[in-house]
Amino acid sequence: MAKRPRWQYALMLSLLLLALCAVLVPYLLRTENELRIHAVQQGLSLPDGFYVYQRLDERGIRIKSITPEGDGLVIRLDSPEQQLLAREALKNILPPGYVIALNEPLHPGHWVRKFAHAPLNLG
């Protein structure tokens, strides 16, 4: 069995790292346009997802999905503009007692600041 030159191992490792980056970067830079609805008053139940879908669809707001998650509803939308329109519409549709929060995407600068503020102990 012939021994491979070192440059071939370096090339294979580089290609493997490049493929790994190509797979992981979309997940790290993902910008999801979401709204989260939570009830803030005790005893107040979440609105029905189908009801929310119908009311937003009547207003021409395009929805990717509505799913229950934890103690709230998560609404995924097509664009940031649709996200803002849906938030305003839901403020008018839902009775008082609900929080409608934008799910802001994390920017790479957030990660840099987070690690920059953490102390580094090397010994």
Side-chain angles (χ1 to χ4, degrees):
M1 186 164 124
K3 189 174 180 182
R4 292 184 181 197
R6 286 186 179 205
W7 67 268
Q8 285 183 344
Y9 290 112
L11 179 64
M12 285 189 287
L13 181 63
S14 298
L15 290 174
L16 179 66
L17 288 174
L18 182 63
L20 184 63
C21 287
V23 170
L24 292 179
V25 166
Y27 290 105
L28 294 174
L29 298 178
R30 193 171 117 189
T31 56
E32 194 73 44
N33 301 303
E34 294 179 346
L35 287 176
R36 295 182 179 269
I37 301 173
H38 297 280
V40 291
Q41 294 178 355
Q42 262 190 346
L44 193 61
S45 63
L46 284 175
D48 180 56
F50 187 68
Y51 170 79
V52 171
Y53 177 85
Q54 284 181 325
R55 299 292 89 74
L56 293 176
D57 190 52
E58 288 171 357
R59 289 169 169 78
I61 297 170
R62 303 293 304 154
I63 300 160
K64 286 185 179 179
S65 68
I66 297 178
T67 54
E69 188 174 294
D71 61 346
L73 280 179
V74 177
I75 304 170
R76 289 179 180 83
L77 300 128
D78 285 334
S79 68
E81 294 79 23
Q82 294 285 302
Q83 182 185 29
L84 294 174
L85 288 171
R87 183 179 184 200
E88 292 305 313
L90 287 169
K91 285 181 182 179
N92 295 325
I93 293 168
L94 299 176
Y98 291 101
V99 173
I100 304 158
L102 296 175
N103 192 20
E104 298 291 337
L106 293 176
H107 299 289
H110 171 75
W111 292 94
V112 172
R113 286 192 301 275
K114 184 175 181 179
F115 286 115
H117 291 295
L120 183 62
N121 297 326
L122 296 175

